[in-house]
Amino acid sequence: MIVIEDVRKTFAGAATPAVDGLSLTIGAGEVCVLIGPSGCGKTTTMRMINRMVDPDGGRILVDGTDIATVDPVHLRRGIGYVIQQVGLFPHLTIAENIATVPQLLGWPPARIAARVDELLALVDMPPAEYRDRFPRALSGGQRQRVGVARALAADPPLLLMDEPFGALDPLTRAALQDEFLRLLRELRKTIVFVTHDMDEALKLGTRIAVLRHGRVVQVDTPERLLARPVDAFVESFVGGDRALKRLALMTAGALAAPMALPPGALTIAAGATLRDALALLLDHDGAPLAVVDDARGRVGGLTLETLRGALAAPLVDDAGSPRSRG
């Protein structure tokens, strides 16, 4: 767990604080996305968690320990860090890049080699093919995968990610977001993720903290943020298509209901989003859809009325949220 208490930071020569009395609690195993306009303090807040920047006031606790009492080098070796520029060492192989922190920690060579191969497989880069390559031989997306693997090398409980996919083309970015979601299901790390892209925040975050002028304006689950923005600033920042974005958070399988369907009804996968379902319904004059699962076959149907009901339904409390990564 990370507890940020009344943290403040003003950089030399700045007229206003970068972070101004910010408080936020991030639970263990949570993916907390920090988002807001340029200059809102999101990256500074993240960099204070691993003491790349020290606050002027307030304190930050990681698992109950005030990080101001921890040696910064020791602290950083227990926190994974992924940035947009990746920062791979060009003169080292992929395996050597991933092994950087385990080597600093004194792991034996056999353990390091096994961990490198495990992580390359985890990020879908076959070890035999990639371990001996150099970063210059990789695409941007592949380098970013290696950056994630390197951050995970020593199995840190906490991962900081500062716009890691921001420099990638849209297709590669979407693919890596999907890969990241797969990793989240397997690893269950506590993650602080900075982005300026609301769609990315909604897709990846279990909770989203919207920042403005160095303070938290609202922190909520993606669905509650879309359904109940606390003020006009959050509402405008989230965007005018909030209803469609809410549909993108729910799957067809979660909403499918038993119903009689005509022969030859169009089908949609249970894992598809309700936004995908809406597009298909509108393209076919509202004809009901059969929702199918590879393992279970047909699981129900969807209609335009079902989707309208989903948007009109009251939200449940966070603990009972229907949104799941599983």
Side-chain angles (χ1 to χ4, degrees):
M1 174 182 286
I2 303 169
V3 179
I4 302 172
E5 296 180 344
D6 194 29
V7 165
R8 300 177 298 282
K9 181 66 183 181
T10 302
F11 291 103
T16 58
V19 177
D20 187 16
L22 186 146
S23 296
L24 178 66
T25 298
I26 301 169
E30 187 170 89
V31 182
C32 183
V33 178
L34 308 183
I35 191 168
S38 297
C40 70
K42 53 188 184 290
T43 293
T44 301
T45 299
M46 169 178 282
R47 287 169 63 84
M48 286 193 287
I49 294 172
N50 67 354
R51 295 194 61 188
M52 298 292 286
V53 173
D54 282 324
D56 298 329
R59 64 176 187 162
I60 299 174
L61 307 176
V62 175
D63 291 335
T65 299
D66 187 337
I67 64 170
T69 66
V70 181
D71 175 74
V73 174
H74 178 75
L75 176 72
R76 290 171 200 146
R77 288 179 183 175
I79 299 175
Y81 191 41
V82 185
I83 59 176
Q84 185 179 124
Q85 296 82 9
V86 186
L88 299 181
F89 299 113
H91 61 290
L92 299 182
T93 66
I94 300 311
E96 290 167 337
N97 266 282
I98 296 172
T100 301
V101 173
Q103 286 177 339
L104 291 172
L105 295 174
W107 288 19
R111 182 183 178 191
I112 291 175
R115 182 62 172 163
V116 167
D117 285 359
E118 176 188 2
L119 287 168
L120 282 171
L122 188 68
V123 297
D124 201 25
M125 297 178 70
E129 183 178 351
Y130 288 100
R131 72 165 76 89
D132 296 323
R133 291 192 185 185
F134 287 88
R136 63 179 176 271
L138 303 182
S139 68
Q142 289 170 333
R143 287 194 294 271
Q144 200 65 59
R145 289 171 187 263
V146 174
V148 172
R150 185 175 64 179
L152 294 170
D155 199 21
L158 171 59
L159 191 62
L160 307 180
M161 307 188 76
D162 190 359
E163 303 211 46
F165 311 135
L168 302 174
D169 65 85
L171 288 177
T172 303
R173 182 172 186 154
L176 282 184
Q177 288 170 350
D178 292 339
E179 188 75 10
F180 183 62
L181 285 173
R182 180 185 66 81
L183 290 176
L184 292 182
R185 287 193 290 268
E186 296 185 28
L187 300 175
R188 300 295 181 185
K189 301 286 185 185
T190 301
I191 297 171
V192 183
F193 192 107
V194 164
T195 184
H196 65 277
D197 184 324
M198 181 55 75
D199 287 335
E200 183 169 73
L202 295 168
K203 182 175 182 178
L204 300 180
T206 54
R207 282 202 308 157
I208 299 171
V210 182
L211 276 60
R212 187 186 191 193
H213 302 321
R215 292 176 174 268
V216 174
V217 181
Q218 182 172 357
V219 56
D220 239 323
T221 62
E223 184 167 309
R224 293 180 70 87
L225 188 74
L226 291 172
R228 297 177 184 170
V230 296
D231 60 18
F233 167 75
V234 176
E235 186 173 6
S236 65
F237 196 80
V238 168
D241 57 345
R242 290 189 292 125
L244 286 176
K245 287 174 177 172
R246 284 187 67 195
L247 290 178
L249 299 178
M250 296 178 276
T251 64
L255 200 66
M259 65 178 64
L261 293 165
L266 290 167
T267 63
I268 189 168
T273 71
L274 292 186
R275 189 185 328 199
D276 295 332
L278 176 62
L280 197 57
L281 285 163
L282 293 176
D283 282 346
H284 293 84
D285 299 322
L289 303 177
V291 181
V292 296
D293 182 285
D294 288 343
R296 295 176 292 159
R298 181 180 291 182
V299 295
L302 280 180
T303 64
L304 284 172
E305 289 71 25
T306 310
L307 268 61
R308 291 192 190 101
L311 291 176
L315 292 174
V316 298
D317 291 337
D318 292 354
S321 172
R323 188 170 186 240
S324 170
R325 298 193 178 281

